[in-house]
Amino acid sequence: MQIADITIISRGEPPELIEQPNKSTISLLSILLNSRYFNDFVTSFIDKYAIEQEDIKPNLSKVINDLENCSKYPEISTVVDVLGLSSDFVPDFYLLTKYRAFRDIGNYFSINYRSTVWHLKIDSEEAIKEKREISGIIFKNKVSKREMLNWVNENWEWVEPNMAELPVNPFVITDFKDIELASEIYDLNKQGMKPTQILKALSTKYQDNQQIYDNLSLELVKNKLKRFRNLLNKREPWFQKTEIIYE
């Protein structure tokens, strides 16, 4: 799969089509779709359950049921965990295999404030049920903003190592302005194409897209290929556990 094959939808219910997804959504997909581990999982999962892929656009009303039922596939939870992502992404991995769709992560929050003991209790129970790691700071009395920041600064050396088991933040910071094109170049290279062949293929594909076509060059292809490899290498910890076999 390439990013161009993926339909981006909202995280609302019912979901809606997203014309301009968050840049971090595209960056995360660029990395996932070029992960051997992830692609091996997709192939095995589709084969195991005889998944018949559908176009999500006419099936948006069905997606809510799919999101509720996807938890019955333990393989998805395992892959999400191995890649270091939050369990929130279990439905997205199912959507990719079934509909070639993915929910935009624009409204993803990594920090939540629970205002009462009751809210803390509910959140903790849900985390235990979902086998989800969480960490938190409890206020036993009122504190000022300065006191809060001072406490964090003074205790950060203790807090940071205790976050090791928490999922990674899905927002991928990169200065790529055209990461989708870079991902495509990398994918073509994985298929055995040399830079000159990639340039020829892209020139044919984008001959009617002036914005891309006018900037294509052998130097651009080589540069994007090198930079995208470096980006993947920075995320290498996500893709180290490839020994799991799905039967």
Side-chain angles (χ1 to χ4, degrees):
M1 285 187 286
Q2 294 185 357
I3 299 175
D5 302 322
I6 309 300
T7 300
I8 308 300
I9 62 175
S10 69
R11 287 181 171 262
E13 294 186 4
E16 299 177 352
L17 299 178
I18 300 292
E19 297 296 333
Q20 294 183 320
N22 186 286
K23 291 181 179 179
S24 290
T25 302
I26 301 301
S27 296
L28 178 59
L29 279 172
S30 298
I31 294 172
L32 284 176
L33 297 180
N34 284 290
S35 159
R36 180 171 64 87
Y37 175 73
F38 178 75
N39 281 283
D40 287 348
F41 156 71
V42 171
T43 301
S44 299
F45 184 81
I46 291 176
D47 290 344
K48 178 178 180 179
Y49 293 102
I51 301 291
E52 294 184 8
Q53 293 190 321
E54 303 177 46
D55 181 359
I56 196 172
K57 294 177 183 178
N59 292 297
L60 285 173
S61 60
K62 293 171 51 181
V63 171
I64 295 178
N65 290 332
D66 284 324
L67 296 181
E68 293 176 351
N69 294 329
C70 66
S71 59
K72 67 182 181 181
Y73 301 105
E75 301 95 327
I76 299 181
S77 297
T78 299
V79 172
V80 169
D81 181 60
V82 168
L83 295 180
L85 290 168
S86 163
S87 57
D88 294 341
F89 286 90
V90 168
D92 297 289
F93 279 34
Y94 179 78
L95 290 175
L96 279 172
T97 60
K98 176 66 175 179
Y99 298 105
R100 291 193 173 190
F102 196 83
R103 296 179 302 170
D104 191 45
I105 64 175
N107 294 321
Y108 181 91
F109 294 100
S110 60
I111 299 176
N112 291 307
Y113 173 63
R114 304 307 184 198
S115 58
T116 67
V117 173
W118 183 82
H119 286 97
L120 283 171
K121 180 177 182 293
I122 296 299
D123 202 50
S124 297
E125 289 175 349
E126 289 180 353
I128 292 173
K129 181 180 179 181
E130 298 174 6
K131 297 181 180 180
R132 172 169 50 92
E133 294 289 343
I134 60 174
S135 184
I137 298 173
I138 297 176
F139 296 91
K140 291 186 177 181
N141 51 263
K142 293 180 180 179
V143 298
S144 66
K145 180 179 179 181
R146 181 176 292 279
E147 289 174 323
M148 172 63 185
L149 294 177
N150 285 342
W151 185 93
V152 171
N153 288 331
E154 292 170 0
N155 291 277
W156 189 250
E157 291 184 2
W158 171 78
V159 172
E160 187 173 26
N162 284 287
M163 292 193 292
E165 297 302 319
L166 296 180
V168 297
N169 191 319
F171 287 93
V172 180
I173 306 301
T174 173
D175 60 351
F176 265 110
K177 294 182 180 180
D178 49 5
I179 193 170
E180 189 170 347
L181 178 62
S183 176
E184 184 176 2
I185 290 172
Y186 182 81
D187 183 62
L188 292 173
N189 182 249
K190 283 198 305 180
Q191 296 176 32
M193 296 179 66
K194 297 180 179 179
T196 51
Q197 295 172 311
I198 294 174
L199 177 60
K200 184 177 180 180
L202 294 178
S203 297
T204 300
K205 179 178 179 179
Y206 293 109
Q207 58 183 340
D208 296 326
N209 188 326
Q210 186 176 358
Q211 184 177 2
I212 295 179
Y213 184 84
D214 289 349
N215 292 314
L216 289 176
S217 68
L218 186 59
E219 182 179 359
L220 179 139
V221 170
K222 291 180 178 179
N223 177 266
K224 299 300 180 189
L225 187 56
K226 180 180 179 180
R227 292 189 62 215
F228 194 78
R229 279 200 191 108
N230 290 337
L231 176 62
L232 290 181
N233 287 336
K234 290 179 181 178
R235 286 295 190 177
E236 188 176 3
W238 283 15
F239 311 133
Q240 284 180 346
K241 299 181 182 179
T242 58
E243 72 278 3
I244 297 176
I245 300 176
Y246 303 97
E247 300 177 349

